[in-house]
């Protein structure tokens, strides 16, 4: 924003927390810091996204005016009794950092330091602020911590600050650039992995289309030749292959209700990812606190008809009758999973007094969004889906009696196919997962959404190719249970991602303790599940188009 000379500039204190876990944060004043004397503004009102991310802005009480220098000034004193000393020592031992904001620019500072043998602990007491301005806007802030004071019980510690203003050439639009880390995100490895995955896509698509073209052409040739033979010959002909299951392949999947709810939710997650990434590419969402999460929630609510449409139409096609129940399950599958995990972690957060404890008002707001936005929009989508594409217009009729599934080799069992199916899609995304995890769990701002978009596209193509091949093998083994198999073989990507998150936890992070562990694994589970449902739905949609295509061209008497 624009300032006039001598206008008040607010220094907001946000959170304090261990350096090694960016997501575990506490209110700044949960440590016995003291505030300045100025009391005009006490608390900032957060947006929904900020509240969910644990932003806790409180006024520091420091007197800062635009372009007005402040020499070193003591703003308050801490009366250090035993309890306060212990709190500081605990924070220093755990490498606590605090975060502040000036004009939306984040500033990080370290609480204190221990000496080498870990006996004496020191607190940084002097905040030296250097603020860069360009015209009448703030474009740069540097904080230097000085004034190391040993923590001795029953002493008084004076906290001080100073402010220096400097003219800067940084453009206002570019003021966040110094927080980005191009040498990390645009590292050769990142480019290389994208290139690699891209090559894999070309190879896979080529391979799949080649195998299928050849095999299908051969199959068609065989079947059309059979047609010219008389019935006697045909009975003696090859009695195997995917054509044999034409009477069962469009049989409704087992558990159609949960299946169509999963597919609907997966389509919704896919559209949310697509839209949010596009928005993030167009607008620099990282410059505003919590705006990414707010955008995601808004887009999720707005794309609810997608969920209803695909879930409802698939359920109708499969002959399901309890469509209202399906709609409820579909609408609340993801919200219930996310809220359930958040609720569980919330309990632990409350126990630890972390600022990640979600305020009651925010919970009410989220529930209202679920019931008054997501549910009605889902209803609209479901009704549209049932009426526009709810007819089971399959190319082959379904036989009354299910065909027995023949014995087959172990590697043709659906369980094995499901396990193998996720390997290639996981291989195409795991480098990107490293960058995403690092920006979520460490102090890096993710900003290369173009890469993320590419990876999403690559992931979808690889997933569809792999599930088509899996399904083709399965149908050739005369096993018609392709619906769940195609969904699960794509979704198993997420199992590999979750296993990767274990590796990441033990080798790439320094987290410890119940709160950090449950927070990490809880939200990783949510992330992986959502990813799995998305991949599953994408794989199923691609495969079902493929299955429809091959059985359309087959003439069946
Ligand atoms: C902040 O620090 C950086 C790097 O040391 C420097 O280039 C920049 O000029 C500083 N900004 C201000 C306002 O002092």
């Amino acid at each position: 924003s624009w300032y006039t000379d001598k206008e008040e500039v607010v220094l907001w204190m946000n959170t304090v927390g261990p350096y090694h876990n960016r997501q575990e944060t506490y209110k700044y004043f949960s440590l016995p810091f003291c505030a300045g004397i100025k009391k005009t503004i006490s608390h900032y009102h957060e947006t929904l996204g900020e509240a969910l991310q644990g932003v806790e802005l409180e006024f520091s009480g420091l007197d800062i005016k635009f372009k007005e220098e402040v020499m070193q000034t003591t703003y308050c004193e801490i009366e250090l009794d035993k309890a306060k000393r212990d709190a500081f020592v605990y924070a220093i031992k755990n490498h606590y950092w605090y975060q502040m904001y000036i004009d939306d620019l984040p500033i990080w500072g370290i609480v204190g330091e221990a000496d080498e043998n870990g006996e004496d602990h020191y607190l940084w007491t002097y905040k030296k602020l250097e603020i860069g301005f360009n015209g009448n806007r703030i474009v740069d802030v540097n904080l230097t911590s000085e004034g190391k004071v040993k923590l001795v019980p029953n002493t008084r510690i004076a906290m001080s600050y100073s402010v220096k203003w400097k003219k800067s050439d940084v453009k206002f639009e570019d003021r966040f650039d110094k927080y980005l880390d191009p040498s990390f995100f645009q590292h050769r490895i990142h480019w290389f992995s994208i290139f690699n995955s891209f090559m894999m896509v070309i190879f896979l698509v080529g391979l799949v289309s080649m195998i299928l073209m050849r095999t299908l052409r051969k199959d068609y040739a065989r079947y059309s030749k059979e047609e010219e033979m008389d019935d006697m010959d045909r009975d003696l002909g090859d009695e195997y292959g995917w054509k044999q299951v034409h009477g069962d392949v469009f049989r409704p999947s087992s558990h159609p209700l949960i299946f169509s709810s999963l597919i609907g939710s997966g389509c919704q997650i896919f559209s949310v990812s697509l839209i949010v990434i596009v928005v993030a590419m167009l607008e620099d969402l990282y410059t505003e606190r919590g705006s990414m999460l707010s955008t995601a929630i808004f887009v999720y609510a707005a794309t609810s008809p997608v969920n209803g449409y695909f879930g409802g139409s698939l359920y109708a096609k499969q002959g399901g009758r309890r469509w209202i129940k399906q709609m409820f399950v579909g609408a609340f599958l993801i919200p219930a999973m996310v809220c359930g995990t958040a609720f569980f972690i919330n309990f632990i957060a409350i126990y630890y007094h972390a600022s990640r404890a979600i305020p009651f008002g925010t919970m009410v707001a989220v529930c209202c969004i679920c019931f008054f936005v997501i549910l009605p929009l889902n209803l609209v989508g479901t009704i549209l889906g049932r009426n526009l594409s709810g007819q089971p217009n399959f190319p082959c009729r379904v036989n009354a009696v299910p065909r027995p599934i023949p014995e087959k080799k172990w590697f043709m069992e659906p369980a094995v196919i499901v396990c193998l199916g996720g390997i290639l899609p996981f291989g195409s995304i795991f480098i990107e997962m490293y960058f995403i995890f690092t920006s979520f769990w460490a102090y890096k701002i993710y900003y290369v959404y173009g890469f993320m978009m590419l990876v999403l596209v690559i992931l979808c193509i690889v997933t569809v190719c792999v599930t088509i091949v899996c399904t083709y093998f399965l149908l050739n083994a005369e096993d018609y249970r392709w619906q769940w198999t195609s969904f699960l073989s794509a979704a198993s990507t997420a199992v590999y991602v979750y296993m990767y998150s274990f590796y990441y936890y033990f080798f790439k992070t320094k987290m410890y303790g119940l709160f950090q562990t449950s927070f990490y694994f809880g939200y990783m589970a949510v992330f992986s599940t959502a990813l799995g449902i998305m991949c599953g739905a994408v794989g199923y949609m691609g495969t079902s188009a493929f299955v429809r295509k091959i059985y359309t061209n087959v003439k069946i008497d």
Side-chain angles (χ1 to χ4, degrees):
S1 53
W2 281 270
Y3 290 93
T4 51
D5 287 7
K6 303 220 184 302
E7 192 182 332
E8 177 178 44
V9 176
V10 179
L11 177 70
W12 293 106
M13 308 313 284
N14 184 19
T15 50
V16 57
Y19 176 68
H20 296 302
N21 181 7
R22 176 178 160 182
Q23 303 295 337
E24 178 183 350
T25 50
Y26 306 91
K27 267 190 240 167
Y28 177 78
F29 289 108
S30 67
L31 279 183
F33 284 119
C34 55
I37 30 165
K38 236 175 124 191
K39 291 270 183 286
T40 38
I41 321 152
S42 59
H43 201 269
Y44 168 90
H45 291 281
E46 293 107 8
T47 64
L48 183 61
E50 286 174 341
L52 287 172
Q53 286 184 345
V55 172
E56 289 275 355
L57 298 190
E58 274 174 292
F59 183 44
S60 59
L62 298 194
D63 193 10
I64 301 174
K65 296 207 174 73
F66 192 65
K67 287 202 215 169
E68 205 177 71
E69 305 261 317
V70 179
M71 303 310 280
Q72 181 171 5
T73 310
T74 300
Y75 62 88
C76 64
E77 283 187 346
I78 304 172
E79 304 237 10
L80 199 70
D81 55 20
K82 181 88 175 51
K84 287 183 180 173
R85 180 187 173 269
D86 290 348
F88 277 124
V89 168
Y90 178 82
I92 291 166
K93 272 189 183 152
N94 288 285
H95 308 280
Y96 270 39
W97 280 52
Y98 57 86
Q99 199 201 19
M100 314 182 282
Y101 281 103
I102 279 190
D103 192 38
D104 288 343
L105 286 172
I107 314 160
W108 287 278
I110 197 153
V111 172
E113 228 179 54
D115 62 3
E116 294 96 56
N117 44 33
E119 276 162 18
D120 291 336
H121 296 85
Y122 300 90
L123 189 72
W124 295 108
T125 58
Y126 176 27
K127 293 182 182 58
K128 214 166 144 186
L129 287 163
E130 289 178 317
I131 307 178
F133 61 93
N134 186 354
N136 43 15
R137 309 179 96 171
I138 292 176
V139 292
D140 190 13
V141 183
N142 286 348
L143 170 74
T144 323
S145 294
E146 285 180 10
K148 214 156 82 165
V149 172
K150 190 169 163 186
L151 289 168
V152 181
N154 306 319
T155 49
R156 293 167 76 87
I157 294 181
M159 304 295 284
S160 57
Y161 78 111
S162 70
V163 184
K164 230 191 198 125
W165 292 86
K166 281 187 186 165
K167 227 175 158 54
S168 166
D169 298 329
V170 178
K171 284 206 203 68
F172 184 75
E173 297 78 40
D174 301 333
R175 63 184 190 150
F176 276 92
D177 286 359
K178 77 167 192 180
Y179 299 101
L180 309 180
D181 190 351
S183 63
F184 176 72
F185 282 105
Q186 297 180 21
H187 193 268
R188 255 178 308 130
I189 291 188
H190 206 168
W191 286 105
F192 182 71
S193 82
I194 302 258
F195 178 74
N196 223 4
S197 309
F198 198 69
M199 284 299 151
M200 187 160 98
V201 165
I202 294 180
F203 172 73
L204 256 179
V205 172
L207 189 78
V208 168
S209 40
M210 208 177 69
I211 293 177
L212 294 189
M213 293 276 242
R214 282 189 56 175
T215 327
L216 290 178
R217 207 188 299 133
K218 223 163 66 196
D219 289 344
Y220 283 139
R222 193 175 79 218
Y223 291 136
S224 51
K225 202 152 79 221
E226 276 173 22
E227 248 160 44
E228 289 153 20
M229 294 184 247
D230 51 44
D231 285 348
M232 176 71 176
D233 275 350
R234 195 186 310 178
D235 285 344
L236 296 174
D238 296 339
E239 279 288 315
Y240 64 88
W242 52 267
K243 197 196 160 190
Q244 299 300 323
V245 290
H246 66 80
D248 292 287
V249 72
F250 296 109
R251 190 177 293 289
S253 59
S254 52
H255 312 290
L257 192 146
I258 185 75
F259 186 71
S260 34
S261 305
L262 283 170
I263 298 295
S265 303
C267 293
Q268 188 183 4
I269 297 173
F270 176 69
S271 39
V272 171
S273 322
L274 208 63
I275 295 172
V276 170
I277 294 176
V278 168
V279 171
M281 277 163 75
L282 299 179
E283 316 244 335
D284 294 333
L285 285 186
Y286 55 82
T287 59
E288 273 172 64
R289 286 182 302 270
S291 61
M292 188 82 190
L293 192 60
S294 302
T295 311
I297 293 174
F298 174 77
V299 174
Y300 185 86
T303 52
S304 295
V306 174
N307 184 343
Y309 183 88
F310 286 102
S313 67
L314 181 64
Y315 189 63
K317 272 185 199 156
Q318 302 214 340
R321 306 230 170 277
R322 291 175 297 166
W323 68 274
I324 297 198
K325 191 175 171 197
Q326 187 279 325
M327 185 192 73
F328 272 96
V329 173
F332 291 138
L333 195 67
I334 302 290
M337 181 184 79
V338 176
C339 294
T341 314
F343 200 66
F344 167 70
I345 291 166
N346 213 18
F347 267 119
I348 303 176
I350 289 169
Y351 178 74
Y352 280 85
H353 305 289
S355 72
R356 298 307 298 246
I358 297 167
F360 182 71
T362 311
M363 284 196 206
V364 173
V366 170
C367 289
C368 286
I369 293 177
C370 285
F371 282 102
F372 300 120
V373 182
I374 294 182
L375 193 60
L377 287 178
N378 245 293
L379 179 68
V380 173
T382 308
I383 290 172
L384 281 179
R386 289 179 63 79
N387 291 314
L388 296 182
S389 65
Q391 283 75 39
N393 47 349
F394 300 127
C396 309
R397 230 174 328 111
V398 176
N399 291 346
V401 183
R403 197 172 183 278
I405 296 164
E407 285 284 311
K408 50 186 174 292
K409 299 231 172 56
W410 62 269
F411 55 83
M412 286 295 180
E413 288 297 335
V416 179
I417 292 182
V418 163
C419 290
L420 296 179
I423 292 177
L424 277 184
F426 171 69
S428 70
I429 58 166
F430 86 94
I431 301 268
E432 194 62 26
M433 286 298 126
Y434 172 74
F435 286 99
I436 294 174
F437 289 0
T438 306
S439 52
F440 192 74
W441 299 109
Y443 292 87
K444 301 251 185 236
I445 300 177
Y446 194 95
Y447 69 98
V448 283
Y449 288 97
F451 282 18
M452 206 191 248
M453 187 66 164
L454 269 180
V455 170
L456 181 69
V457 172
I458 289 173
L459 174 67
C460 290
I461 298 176
V462 173
T463 305
V464 169
C465 288
V466 168
T467 45
I468 285 180
V469 173
C470 290
T471 304
Y472 180 74
F473 283 129
L474 190 79
L475 292 176
N476 250 341
E478 299 178 19
D479 189 337
Y480 55 82
R481 298 169 296 179
W482 63 277
Q483 281 138 322
W484 275 104
T485 311
S486 66
F487 178 84
L488 291 176
S489 64
S492 68
T493 309
V495 177
Y496 293 104
V497 170
Y498 198 54
M499 293 195 312
Y500 178 65
S501 80
F502 278 77
Y503 166 80
Y504 188 87
Y505 181 84
F506 289 113
F507 294 100
K508 300 284 178 195
T509 70
K510 292 184 183 155
M511 297 186 208
Y512 54 86
L514 177 69
F515 179 68
Q516 295 180 9
T517 313
S518 52
F519 194 91
Y520 179 89
F521 287 108
Y523 280 113
M524 278 303 187
V526 168
F527 171 77
S528 305
T529 314
L531 183 77
I533 295 176
M534 181 185 89
C535 288
V538 168
Y540 171 78
M541 293 307 249
T543 311
S544 85
F546 163 79
V547 169
R548 191 173 261 277
K549 180 101 186 75
I550 61 174
Y551 284 92
T552 309
N553 292 350
V554 168
K555 289 199 196 66
I556 290 145
D557 31 33

